[in-house]
Structures are given as structure tokens and as C-alpha cells.
């Protein structure tokens, strides 16, 4: 067992983990941050995306020990300080960018990372960036709309309402 | 002006707040004190005899509580099938036992053989490696036609053959159909496959079971679309637990698409084992396990023949289908290729004579059951493909051939035993042609040609049947369950309302749309209404959500219960205002005496019901809570016209979907935003089937597409923006909301539209290609062009 210390959603946490413990497992099982979801076992689905030192990472692809000393942000840390939905979260609700909600945390975390690097992406750029996030419910149509809207772009220009 | 609440408003979803902040409560988020973890050891061969299982070394491994095998399940029932089909000769289908854990033989890759239960999942997995299983491999049965040959290896030794049933529908039409086809001016024949798919809800299945020895009560948390059905099947048929001692909870469920309808062995295992070891037992499916244990979908091989007169009128239709059941009968498997497929073969057309033959076959593959659309996509695909082929053979425009044969008078009784109540197929076709700019296609095709690409446009017009019913009819057809739905409307003293529904939401947004209906009826704000679902301890016995039934059946039950509430509240209001009940009107949450300014608010009436000081106690009981069970008189029949525009790269065979237009008639709409989202998702699954998805086995029965590395799930950049429309409305005539259902349409209408578009592109370029089997991968398209 190894002791790891990291900042998760602004709070310092220390836990004893096995070498094989994945960051996703530590978040879900030891920190009870169950918003990070596990949808596959081959790092394909993206339901587990979190931010590690500001970068989008599939937390099932990283050992908890590798995140020692890192700043981690999960879906639970994405709302505004007053608890209201952040711009991206609000856009997902406004444009019905989620149905069952299972892929949603990963989608929101990926969208946030995209808009940080590319504040005004084209529709094609949004679709390409989301290659690592699977959604079975929405057909991506409204997810793309939501991300375009969150970037301040004109949604009807990319999609017939 | 769009409404800002109630029926017809695009109310934003209340459930989104928890899903967007990581507060959703899915089954895997539930952990019980002192819980153990189950790890299933599954067959890695398709077919074999189990010679021995040695668990002694595993039992000594750290953290192991117990290792279970089939011998622990003596006296426990098999996983039951919920539908018995009767064959052409009046005989019941062959129905093999489906044991919780394999007994003596394994019959598909993934068949569970033993389970290790330990303190942690890691320990359970480590111990599983110490379980020694000796299996003699047997030849695998895979090809359905070969499986029916004399002397073929049998999947089940105790059955007479691999034939589950040979179903004819309508058997009395058989000779007339044969004669009509023999004498027809033109017969178009098409042989095709409907590819096997895996539903792949993003949340894998999970079961967490607990047994309370102080009360003899079991609780099962499970990823289910229908917790009451699981309670009934598992309680009554597998484990023998009386229903009042078994609570089944399906909390937030991350998508279903059919795969979470069925009762699975893992649920029964965890529930059984929790009592055996005296600790809660949790099982979480990995995605790899999901591929080899969730029921698959489709997998039909069909020959279809359409007879036409010289003017293109359809005279007769004959289909011959082999439907794969897999190794065991999943809960509703036998009904899918029969009653949800044969009954839809009239489509939107006046074809007077139809005969459908289906041979359901056991193979050494994962069981096949309903997947979004369930039988209706298979019917629509073959019908809309053969109609398109007939149009090309006869030199008639595909739109015109469809229009020439559209049903235009309703109600319409088809020759395949169903009666369509309403529809307007010309209207949806008109809408499609308008929205897809069909008139401008030739100019776009010319541009593509100039760029060295082949452009095509394909159409499909579908009919679907939702809310399978009524119960007494489906009972005659072999269903071992009723197909009603229930709702309890509990009005609280201060006027807020909890609606307990037997429907289940796993992405459909019922918590929002169902509240809109009740809000509209009473005239109070949606925020005053909560929708409660997914817990047998809280909701009345209901059949759950599948087959696009929730608003048509569950919504109707809720309307009936709310009507009872309003009727009683009117009596109370009449008493409070000393007026005649007949004069009481309810509007915007106010009861008024007609023609006067006397009124009482909703909250005053509800308070009186629970604090009945000034109350007609001699006439009515206190309280304000009503339950209704609604059993529909008929199916509902949504329909629509779908159009797909593609470009094919002649160098590589790569197909690009440039645009997809869906013009649907869903009857009345409760929440347009949610309806459009349902169509988007269905389209993605249908386009996925047509373009990239395929569940493949090799000749030994090994699952080749067993992970997201091998099974192509549609990704964001595989799909275009969609154009969807639901402005064509012919309300359902037999349910109180006039609704039809929208959950599966997208997956039903889209595959044939897409394949028709690709065939169109190739034929326009002079290729003699009449059909390509799905998925239309570049190699298949290229091979078709170059054969």
C-alpha cells in the first residue's frame, strides 16, 4: 500500500492505495465521488474523464499513485461556487445534451477541456474532440449543440431547431 | 408561441440537475455495509461438456467467502421465458431450461459456470484463477440453416432439434399468398441479413442484493427497465421468494434499449447468495462481460418476395425468416420475430395478402432478445428494401410506388391481424421531401459527381406498433404477463403531488414529461409534482418501460388516476362552497362555481381532504390518493418518412452520411424537446447498425466483437446533424392523451433509408448493385461495386 496525497476539487485528500488501484477506483470507492463513471474496460468510452492538472484524463487509464501531488477535478467540482450550474452544465440542460446521464460527467469534463484549448470550436472540431467519449442515447446532436452554445456560438447556425 | 409548461412545452429536464453535477444514483454507486463482491467465471468455449469443477484451491484464497457452482442451485428454478409461441401446427415452442449457472454443459462463450464471492473484487478475481474447470469442447452450432439439418449437433440434448418453433402467420393465408405470387405480373425477391447487434447502454449491468434475516426480506438493487417484472419472475419462478418479502429497486439506470428488460442469472445469483452467506453481494459487469452476457439484438436471415401488378400495386407479400434465439430463451425472445415482426409486415401499404414464416433457431451464441425496435426494425428493413428494389425493377419512382400503395383510410385492418387507428402517410412523405430538399437532389448529385463522388438519396416509410396490448389478447398470443400499466397519484395535504408510476425512466425524462401531464390537468406548477419510479416498495405493480409504451400506457394510467383525484376534489370543493358538484369547474388550480366569483384554491381542497373538519364525511372518505391500472384497447401506430443522403467514395467504398431527415407522426406530443432527443438517439443506433455496428462470431463460436476495440459504436464524428420533424399529427384514438410513442422510431426507419441511399448512389453510377448487407463497411461497398 502506498500513501497518496492530492487535491480533489480544491480539497486536499490522503489515502492508502494499492499499486494497482486506478484513479477512477480511488475516486469512486475511497472518496465516494461516484459522479465519475466506469463504462468500459478498454479506455474507450470516456465516462470516467476527469481533469488532472488541468488536462482531460481517462481516470481508468491512470493509477491513483500516478496522481500523487496532482490537482484533480471531477464532475462534482464543476458547478459554480454558489452551487448553480456552470456555463457548460447549463448548456447541456438547455439543449437537452443528456438523457440517461451516464456518459454525461465525462462529456462535460471533455467539453470543458476542449473549450479551454479551443474557445470557439467548429462543429467538426467538437465532433472530432469527442471521439473518446461514447454516448448511446443522444446521437450526439444535442451534445454538439450544447458545446457550441457554451462557447457562445450561434446554435441555430449549426442545427435546425 | 411555445408553451412554458404543461402538455406541449419543452420543459427543461429536472433530472439533469443531478446528472450534471455527479449526483445521479446508479446501481454501482450503491454500497452496502459488509458487502461482498461476486466474480463470474464464464465459459471461454462456445459449446462443451463440463467434466469437473475443482474449487478447493480457490476456497483457500484470501478473502474468499464462498465459491458457487450449479450444484449449489439444485432445487432452484431456471431463468424463465415470458412468452410461449405456438407453432404452425398448433404445438408449443421447444423451451429448454436456462440454469442460473451452467449444468453439465456450456452453450455459449460467456455462459456462467462458477462464481467466487469474496471481500473485495480483486480477491474474488484472484481466487477465480484458482478454480479448475475441465471442459471437453463440442462442435459449435452457429449457422442457423445448418443447425436445422438432420444430424446437426444439438445445442440442447433434451430437445428434438435446434428448432425452437416454425411459425406461420397468418397460416390460413399461406395458399392464397402462394397463388397470388405465382400468378403475378412482377415479383421482386430479396435475400438479406439483419445483422446481430449489442445494445450497449453506457452503464453496464449491476446487481446488489441483501437479505435481512430478522424479517426474511430480500432487497435487490438492479439495473432494470422493469423492477416489478424482475420481482415477479425471480421471486415466483427462480428463487421461490414471495413478493411481499422481495423488494426490487432500479434507481437511476444508465440507458437500457431493451437489454435491461430481461431477468438475468446474475440478479438471481446475487439474491440467492446474499442469503446463503449472510452478507450483501454485489456484482458489477465489466464491458467485456456485457458483450457476452447482455442479450443481443436482431440476427435475422430473410428471403422476401413482393408481388405487384403491372401498375405497381402490391398484390402479395411472402417472407421466410430464420431468427437466432442464441443458446437459451431470453425473457421475451420468442415474441420478437413473431408478434412484434410478423404483425408489422403490411407496413404502410394496402397489400391484401401476406404470409410470414419464421423459424426460430437455437445456436451456441448469446441469447437474442428485444433491442430498440425489437422485430419492427427487422420488418421495416426487409419491406422497405424490397419496395425500393421493386421500384427500380419496374422503373417507377420509389416515392411514387410507395404513394401508390399507401393506406389512406382509417381505421385499417391489415391482413396480419392488427388494426391501425390513425395515420397520414402522404403527409409525412410530403414533409420529408420538403425538409430534405428532395427537389434539389439532382443538382447536389451533379456537384458530387464533379468532385468524383457518388451521391445517393434513400427513403423509407415505416409503421411501428407501440404499447403492445390488450392483456387478454397478448395472453392468447402466448404472453405469460399482462401488459397494462399503473399509477398512484398521492396528493399531499398542502397540494403537492407524488405520482408513483409503474413505468421506468432510464434516460427518457419521465420525471419531467409525466409531471407536465399532471400539471396540465390540474393547472398547478410542474414543480409541485414529483414522479416516483423504479422501486417495488413505492410503486404499484407495473410492467415497466420498453416498446415505446411509457406515455401511451403509463401516461394513460396516470391520466386515469388524476381524473379520479379531480373527481373527488370537485366533490370536496362543492362541499366547501356549498354548491352543486355539477357546477364546479377546475381551471389553473382553482375550483370555481360556474357563473359566480366563488372559488377555492387547489391547496384549500387538498388540505380539507386531510384535515376533514368541514368535509362531507358521510359521502366520501378523507384523503386524496388514487390508483389506476390502464390496459390499452390496442397498440398505437406511429409512422414516418425517413430520408438519407449519402456520398460514396468510388475509390475506397467509404460511405459518408451527409444528411438525415426524419418526418414522424407520433400523435400528440408532451415535450417536443424530449421527443426530438429520442429520435436523435434512435437514428444514431439505426445509422450505427447500417454503417458500422456488427456483432460477429468466428466459426468456432468465439465472440470477435467483444469490446469497444472491436465493436464499432457510433462516435460523434460518424454522424451528421439530424433534421427531425413531428408536425404531422394524427392523434391516437384510443388513449386519453392521443399519444403514440416515439422511443424506437429512429432505430426502425433509418437502416433501410440508409441502405436504399447507398444502392441509389451506386445504381446512378451504373453499378448493377441491388443489395449490400449491413453494416455498409467500405470493403463491402467496394466489393459490391467491383464484383
Amino acid at each position: 500500500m502506498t500513501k497518496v496525497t492530492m487535491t480533489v476539487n480544491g480539497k486536499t485528500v490522503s489515502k492508502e492505495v494499492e499499486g494497482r488501484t486506478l484513479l477512477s477506483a480511488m475516486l469512486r470507492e475511497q472518496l465516494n465521488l461516484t459522479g465519475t463513471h466506469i463504462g468500459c474496460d478498454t479506455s474507450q468510452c470516456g465516462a470516467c474523464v476527469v481533469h488532472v492538472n488541468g488536462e482531460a484524463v481517462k481516470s481508468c487509464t491512470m493509477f491513483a499513485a500516478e496522481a500523487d501531488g496532482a490537482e484533480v477535478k471531477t464532475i462534482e467540482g464543476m458547478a459554480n461556487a454558489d452551487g448553480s450550474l456552470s456555463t457548460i452544465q447549463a448548456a447541456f440542460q438547455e439543449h437537452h445534451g443528456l438523457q440517461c446521464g451516464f456518459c454525461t460527467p465525462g462529456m462535460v469534463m471533455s467539453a470543458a477541456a476542449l473549450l479551454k484549448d479551443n474557445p470557439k470550436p467548429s462543429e467538426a472540431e467538437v465532433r472530432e474532440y469527442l471521439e473518446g467519449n461514447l454516448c448511446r442515447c443522444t446521437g450526439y446532436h444535442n451534445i454538439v449543440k450544447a458545446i457550441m452554445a457554451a462557447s457562445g456560438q450561434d446554435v441555430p447556425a449549426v442545427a435546425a431547431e | 408561441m411555445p408553451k412554458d409548461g404543461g402538455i406541449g412545452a419543452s420543459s427543461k429536464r429536472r433530472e439533469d440537475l443531478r446528472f450534471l453535477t455527479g449526483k445521479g444514483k446508479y446501481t454501482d454507486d450503491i454500497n452496502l455495509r459488509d458487502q461482498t463482491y461476486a466474480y463470474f467465471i464464464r465459459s471461454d468455449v462456445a459449446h462443451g461438456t463440463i467434466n469437473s469443477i475443482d474449487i478447493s484451491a480457490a476456497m483457500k484464497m484470501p478473502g474468499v467467502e464462498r465459491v458457487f457452482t450449479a450444484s449449489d442451485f439444485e432445487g432452484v428454478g431456471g431463468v424463465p421465458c415470458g412468452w410461449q409461441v405456438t407453432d404452425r401446427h398448433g404445438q408449443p415452442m421447444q423451451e429448454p431450461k436456462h440454469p442460473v449457472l451452467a449444468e453439465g454443459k456450456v452453450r455459449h462463450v460467456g455462459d456462467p459456470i462458477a462464481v467466487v464471492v469474496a471481500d473485495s473484487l480483486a480477491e474474488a478475481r484472484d481466487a477465480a484463477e484458482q478454480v479448475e474447470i475441465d471442459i471437453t469442447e463440442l462442435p459449435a452450432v452457429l449457422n442457423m440453416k445448418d443447425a436445422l439439418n438432420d444430424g446437426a449437433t444439438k445445442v440442447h440434448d433434451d430437445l428434438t432439434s435446434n428448432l425452437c418453433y416454425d411459425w406461420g402467420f397468418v397460416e390460413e393465408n399461406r395458399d392464397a399468398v402462394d397463388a397470388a405470387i405465382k400468378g403475378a405480373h412482377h415479383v421482386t425477391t430479396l435475400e438479406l441479413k439483419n445483422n446481430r447487434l449489442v445494445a450497449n447502454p453506457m452503464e453496464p449491468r449491476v446487481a446488489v442484493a441483501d437479505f435481512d434475516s430478522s424479517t426474511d426480506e430480500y432487497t435487490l438493487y438492479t439495473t432494470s427497465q422493469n423492477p416489478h417484472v424482475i420481482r415477479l419472475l425471480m421471486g415466483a419462478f427462480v428463487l421461490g421468494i414471495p413478493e411481499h418479502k422481495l423488494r426490487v429497486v432500479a434507481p437511476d439506470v444508465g440507458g437500457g434499449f431493451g437489454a435491461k428488460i430481461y431477468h438475468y442469472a446474475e440478479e438471481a445469483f446475487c439474491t440467492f447468495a446474499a442469503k446463503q452467506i449472510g452478507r450483501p453481494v454485489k456484482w458489477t459487469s465489466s464491458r467485456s462481460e456485457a458483450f457476452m452476457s447482455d442479450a443481443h439484438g436482431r440476427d435475422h436471415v430473410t428471403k422476401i418476395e413482393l408481388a405487384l401488378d403491372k401498375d405497381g400495386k402490391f398484390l402479395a407479400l411472402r417472407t421466410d425468416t430464420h431468427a437466432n434465439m442464441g443458446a437459451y430463451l431470453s425473457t421475451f425472445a420468442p415474441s420478437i420475430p413473431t408478434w412484434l415482426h410478423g404483425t408489422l409486415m403490411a407496413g404502410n401499404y394496402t397489400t391484401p395478402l401476406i404470409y410470414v414464416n419464421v423459424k426460430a433457431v437455437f445456436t451456441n451464441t448469446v441469447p437474442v432478445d428485444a433491442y430498440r425496435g425489437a422485430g419492427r426494425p427487422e420488418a421495416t428493413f426487409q419491406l422497405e428494401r424490397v419496395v425500393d428494389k421493386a421500384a427500380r425493377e419496374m422503373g417507377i419512382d420509389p416515392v411514387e410506388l410507395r404513394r401508390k400503395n399507401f393506406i389512406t383510410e382509417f381505421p385499417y385492418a391489415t391482413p396480419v391481424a392488427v388494426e391501425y387507428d390513425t395515420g397520414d402517410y402522404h403527409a409525412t412523405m410530403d414533409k420529408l421531401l420538403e425538409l430534405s430538399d428532395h427537389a434539389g437532389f439532382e443538382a447536389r448529385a451533379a456537384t458530387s459527381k464533379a468532385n468524383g463522388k457518388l451521391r445517393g438519396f434513400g427513403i423509407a416509410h415505416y409503421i411501428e406498433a407501440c404499447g403492445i396490448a390488450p392483456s387478454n389478447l397478448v395472453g392468447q398470443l402466448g404472453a405469460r404477463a399482462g401488459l397494462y400499466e399503473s399509477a398512484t397519484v398521492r396528493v399531499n395535504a398542502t397540494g403537492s403531488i407524488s405520482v408513483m408510476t409503474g413505468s421506468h425512466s432510464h434516460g427518457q425524462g419521465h420525471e419531467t414529461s409525466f409531471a407536465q401531464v399532471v400539471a396540465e390537468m390540474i393547472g398547478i406548477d410542474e414543480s409541485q409534482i414529483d414522479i416516483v419510479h423504479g422501486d417495488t416498495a413505492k410503486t404499484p405493480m407495473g410492467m415497466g418501460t420498453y416498446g415505446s409504451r411509457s406515455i401511451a400506457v403509463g401516461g394513460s394510467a396516470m391520466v386515469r388516476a388524476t381524473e379520479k383525484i379531480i373527481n373527488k376534489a370537485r366533490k370536496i370543493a362543492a362541499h366547501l362552497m356549498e354548491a352543486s358538484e355539477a357546477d364546479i369547474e377546475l381551471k389553473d388550480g382553482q375550483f370555481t362555481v360556474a357563473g359566480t366569483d366563488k372559488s377555492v384554491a387547489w391547496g384549500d381542497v387538498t388540505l380539507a381532504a386531510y384535515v376533514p373538519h368541514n368535509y362531507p364525511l358521510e359521502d366520501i372518505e378523507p384523503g386524496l390518493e388514487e390508483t389506476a391500472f390502464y390496459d390499452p384497447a390496442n397498440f398505437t401506430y406511429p409512422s414516418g418518412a425517413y430520408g438519407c443522403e449519402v456520398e460514396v467514395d468510388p475509390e475506397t467504398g467509404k460511405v459518408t452520411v451527409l444528411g438525415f431527415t426524419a418526418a414522424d407522426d407520433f400523435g400528440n406530443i408532451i415535450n417536443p424537446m424530449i421527443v426530438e432527443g429520442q429520435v436523435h438517439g434512435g437514428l444514431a443506433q439505426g445509422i450505427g447498425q447500417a454503417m458500422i455496428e456488427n456483432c460477429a462470431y468466428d466459426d468456432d463460436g468465439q465472440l470477435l466483437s467483444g469490446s469497444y476495440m472491436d465493436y464499432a459504436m457510433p462516435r460523434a464524428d460518424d454522424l451528421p446533424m439530424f433534421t427531425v420533424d413531428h408536425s404531422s399529427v394524427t392523434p391516437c384514438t384510443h388513449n386519453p392523451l392521443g399519444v403514440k410513442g416515439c422511443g424506437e422510431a429512429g432505430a426502425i426507419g433509418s437502416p433501410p433509408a440508409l441502405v436504399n441511399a447507398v444502392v441509389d448512389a451506386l445504381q446512378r453510377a451504373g453499378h448493377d448493385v441491388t443489395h449490400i448487407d449491413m453494416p455498409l463497411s467500405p470493403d463491402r461497398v467496394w466489393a459490391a461495386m467491383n464484383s
Side-chain angles (χ1 to χ4, degrees), chain A residues 20 28 34-35 37-42 44-45 75-76 85 89 92-94 96 98-102 104 108 123 127 130-131 134 136-142 145 158-159, chain B residues 12-13 16 19-20 22 26 28-29 122 198-200 202-203 254-255 257 286-288 371 506-507 673 677-678 680-681 684-685 693 708-709 714-717 719-722:
Chain A
R20 63 182 168 181
R28 286 184 56 79
T34 55
H37 294 154
I38 312 298
C40 74
D41 43 16
T42 51
Q44 300 277 309
C45 81
I75 189 68
E76 287 90 347
L85 296 181
Q89 290 169 314
F92 269 71
Q93 185 186 35
E94 179 68 22
H96 191 29
L98 66 154
Q99 292 183 25
C100 81
F102 197 79
T104 306
V108 169
E123 182 208 327
R127 288 183 181 276
L130 293 182
E131 269 202 322
L134 292 175
R136 194 56 153 168
C137 295
T138 65
Y140 305 99
H141 182 106
N142 284 341
K145 270 169 69 176
V158 296
Chain B
K12 302 306 169 202
R13 299 198 329 165
D16 290 358
F19 295 148
L20 281 162
Y26 299 87
D28 193 48
D29 302 338
V198 183
N200 273 308
M202 292 316 302
E203 177 203 31
F257 314 114
S286 69
R287 182 59 61 184
S288 304
Y371 165 59
H506 30 279
M673 177 192 80
Q678 289 292 306
H680 296 156
Q685 292 180 3
E693 291 185 44
Y708 288 152
M709 311 284 276
R715 292 169 191 268
D717 60 357
L719 298 166
M721 299 307 284
F722 306 118

Side-chain angles (χ1 to χ4, degrees), chain B residues 263-474:
Chain B
H263 173 46
Y264 286 97
E266 293 88 353
E267 295 168 320
F269 173 81
C270 290
T271 308
F272 177 82
K275 182 178 183 184
Q276 294 285 309
I277 66 171
R279 293 171 66 184
V281 178
K282 180 174 189 172
W283 169 73
T284 301
S285 174
S286 69
R287 182 59 61 184
S288 304
E289 271 185 297
F291 272 102
M292 56 183 167
S293 66
D294 290 7
H296 293 173
R298 316 282 192 261
D299 205 351
H300 286 196
V301 177
T302 293
K303 178 182 179 187
I304 182 167
E305 296 158 285
L306 175 65
L308 306 93
D309 74 11
K310 63 180 174 23
D311 300 321
K313 284 290 280 183
F314 301 164
L315 301 174
L317 185 76
R318 180 168 63 197
T319 76
D320 180 356
T321 287
H322 286 71
N324 205 332
M325 293 286 102
Y328 305 99
L329 291 177
S330 176
T331 308
F332 289 118
S335 68
I336 310 307
T338 51
W339 300 110
L340 290 174
H341 165 251
T343 51
L344 273 294
M345 285 313 306
N348 303 102
Y349 311 114
T350 55
T351 317
L353 287 164
I354 299 174
Y355 180 72
V356 179
N357 182 237
V358 177
K359 294 179 183 70
V361 185
F362 293 109
T363 61
N364 290 118
T365 61
V366 170
V368 179
D369 206 325
Y371 165 59
R372 200 171 197 165
R376 292 152 288 173
E378 295 91 321
T380 304
F381 183 69
Q382 53 183 290
L383 184 60
E384 289 302 295
R385 283 291 300 119
V386 81
V387 167
D388 225 64
K389 186 166 184 249
R392 293 170 195 286
E393 287 175 356
M394 295 188 72
I396 302 174
D397 180 82
V399 174
E400 288 315 307
L401 184 64
R402 287 179 170 86
R403 286 192 189 278
K404 196 185 277 279
N405 289 282
F406 272 164
I407 295 161
T408 55
E409 289 178 15
F410 297 89
Y412 179 83
T414 73
V416 274
V418 289
E419 184 174 284
Y420 303 160
D421 57 346
T422 54
D424 185 347
Y425 309 144
H426 286 292
T428 40
M429 184 66 96
D430 290 344
K431 191 51 95 174
L432 166 67
L433 298 179
E434 174 200 329
L435 292 174
S436 60
D437 186 21
H438 188 246
F441 173 77
E442 294 297 342
R444 296 192 296 277
T447 305
S448 292
K449 194 173 177 185
N451 294 329
K453 299 283 170 56
L454 319 179
R455 191 179 278 246
F457 187 81
I459 282 174
H461 209 290
Y462 76 89
I463 183 84
E464 90 128 316
C466 305
I468 179 170
S471 290
N472 52 5
L473 172 68
V474 297

